[in-house]
Amino acid sequence: MSKILMLCGDFGEDYEVMVPFQALQAVGHTVHAVAPDKKSGDYVMTAIHDFEGQQTYSEKPGHRFTLNATFAEIDPAKYDALVVPGGRAPEYLRLNSRVVEITRHFLSADKPVAAICHGAQLLAATGLIKGRKVSAYPACQIEVELAGAEYMGIAIDGAVTDGKLVTAPAWPAHPAWIGQFLAVLGTRIAL
């Protein structure tokens, strides 16, 4: 099974942090959730984003998500794959040069990467998605295209796999997004 790094931050989308963290562990993967300037046992606050008919998603307080690894100790070379949850966290995580460097490592080494929703903001900040097919929350389309990627305007419950990069627009896509990421990881589930 794979050793997976998850890049988190305050006000990451609750479901987009919690669900892949738990689902990937449930099938046997090791997942280390980290956030800049935080250590194992610290927490980040999440936000719940919902689609309730307004012009954009609504936002409500989420949960405290406890990190299980220390950001300062992370060596991306020791991980097989990367998960980038969405929400508001990628907006400021992309300003952290170490976070961008870590993300670049996975993309340049052609390791599996799963990003959802606003996670595309961090992918775009790497400068390494040119020519790739990338889905994201529709508000991120401009950044995806400015980074030279082809924005995939798919259904909110769909996902796109381009090589080892798996992206999706938002948490309603979890079954497709996580399923496609498990396939890229080579995960076999025996019942």
Side-chain angles (χ1 to χ4, degrees), residues 22-23 58 60 86 101 112-113 129 140 146 153 170 186:
Q22 294 171 341
S58 63
K60 299 168 186 69
E101 177 187 318
V113 174
I129 60 170
C140 298
L146 287 172

Side-chain angles (χ1 to χ4, degrees), residues 163-187:
K164 294 181 182 172
L165 176 62
V166 183
T167 56
W171 59 260
H174 277 156
W177 180 62
I178 294 170
Q180 289 179 37
F181 188 51
L182 290 174
V184 167
L185 292 169
T187 307

Side-chain angles (χ1 to χ4, degrees), residues 3 9 16 43 68-69 72 75 82 98-99 104 108 120 130 140 161 166 184-185:
K3 186 174 177 184
E16 294 169 7
Y43 66 87
N68 65 350
D75 176 0
L82 175 68
R98 179 70 177 135
V99 171
R104 273 192 191 117
S108 64
K130 185 175 183 177
C140 298
T161 297
V166 183
V184 167
L185 292 169

